């Protein structure tokens, strides 16, 4: 028996084990370098969103950062974004109807607390027949009505002019004022049966008596839907309860 053979066998076995271990070690190193260079993480970005003029909390604002962290402000205007990552700086974006979109930048630090101020956009005033006034975010206003399958709403409304039975579709951005309260009247040539009528004033100055064609044959009852500017809550206001809507 060759006395050197056992040692050669041992050496071969050690080389095989080393060959197996090297790829495994390399794989572990690759996993450890998955974080791209320059990327950093902030454990917590929190704070408050307030109205730039009144200082009151902005409720229901959508806050986002890093492309994958989202929150909505509570009744105190507060938000929390956890474990936010970015490169160089993190941009925090805040958006809500009734306000101009706002951003803030966060640099690589520990937990960060922000106070973000938002500038209000022009609002719409709704005066009810009771004398109560509601202030709505103009961008949130829609006309809607319930159906068997749910609720239908749109930024535009279909009308019929009483004077000549012309059918028109008017977007809220074209409206200056809607005067009520809505009355149930004979639809005449506009459609069959009765419908709800109000006076519509356009931003061009044109004034017209109109029928809400969705209410023809008293099929649906139209609401004005919108977000209350201060509370952030959404409301459905039946047009028969509205004395006047004044758009900005």
């Amino acid at each position: 028996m060759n006395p050197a053979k056992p040692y050669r066998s041992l050496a071969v076995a050690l080389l095989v084990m080393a060959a197996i271990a090297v790829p495994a070690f390399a794989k572990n190193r690759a996993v450890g370098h998955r974080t791209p260079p320059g990327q950093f993480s902030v454990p917590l970005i929190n704070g408050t969103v307030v109205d730039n003029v009144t200082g009151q909390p902005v409720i229901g604002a959508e806050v986002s950062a890093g492309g994958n962290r989202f929150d909505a402000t509570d009744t105190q205007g507060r938000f929390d974004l956890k474990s936010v990552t970015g490169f160089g700086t993190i941009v925090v974006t805040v958006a809500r109807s009734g306000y101009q979109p706002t951003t803030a930048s966060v640099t690589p630090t520990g937990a960060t607390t922000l106070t973000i101020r938002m500038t209000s956009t022009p609002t719409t005033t709704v005066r009810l027949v009771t004398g109560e006034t509601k202030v709505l975010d103009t961008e949130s206003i829609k006309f809607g009505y319930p159906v068997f399958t749910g609720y239908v709403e749109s930024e535009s409304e279909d009308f019929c002019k009483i004077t000549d039975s012309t059918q028109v579709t008017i977007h809220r951005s074209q409206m200056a004022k809607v005067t009520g309260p809505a009355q149930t009247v004979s639809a005449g040539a506009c459609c069959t049966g009765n419908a709800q009528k109000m006076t519509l004033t356009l931003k061009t100055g044109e004034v017209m008596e109109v029928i809400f064609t969705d209410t023809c044959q008293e099929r649906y009852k139209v609401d004005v839907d919108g977000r209350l500017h201060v509370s952030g809550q959404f409301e459905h206001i039946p047009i028969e309860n509205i004395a006047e809507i004044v758009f900005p």
Side-chain angles (χ1 to χ4, degrees), residues 65-218:
N68 60 358
R69 293 293 181 266
F70 306 92
D71 197 12
T73 55
D74 62 15
T75 56
Q76 301 302 314
R78 297 173 301 200
F79 66 91
D80 291 287
L81 301 171
K82 298 179 180 179
S83 301
V84 185
T85 57
F87 295 87
T89 60
I90 293 174
V91 177
V92 179
T93 302
V94 187
R96 205 203 87 170
S97 64
Y99 288 91
Q100 298 176 9
T102 307
T103 61
S105 296
V106 175
T107 53
T109 58
T112 300
T113 300
L114 303 172
T115 298
I116 300 176
R117 299 184 178 276
M118 300 191 78
T119 300
S120 177
T121 55
T123 55
T124 293
T125 301
V126 179
R127 182 168 57 85
L128 304 184
V129 294
T130 60
E132 181 184 0
T133 297
K134 296 180 181 288
V135 179
L136 306 180
D137 295 346
T138 301
E139 301 91 341
S140 72
I141 293 177
K142 296 181 180 180
F143 298 89
Y145 52 86
V147 295
F148 291 116
T149 57
Y151 195 84
V152 176
E153 59 181 2
S154 172
E155 296 176 0
S156 300
E157 178 61 24
D158 296 326
F159 296 104
C160 177
K161 296 182 183 181
I162 291 180
T163 54
D164 58 8
S165 302
T166 301
Q167 304 284 332
V168 292
T169 300
I170 307 294
H171 189 270
R172 68 179 180 220
S173 62
Q174 299 173 268
M175 302 178 188
K177 185 191 301 184
V178 180
T179 306
Q183 300 175 2
T184 300
V185 300
S186 172
C190 285
C191 57
T192 304
N194 296 326
Q196 291 181 294
K197 176 183 76 73
M198 297 182 82
T199 301
L200 174 62
T201 303
L202 301 182
K203 285 186 168 65
T204 60
E206 182 181 2
V207 180
M208 61 186 81
E209 298 291 315
V210 294
I211 280 175
F212 289 76
T213 55
D214 290 323
T215 67
C216 284
Q217 301 176 338
E218 300 184 72

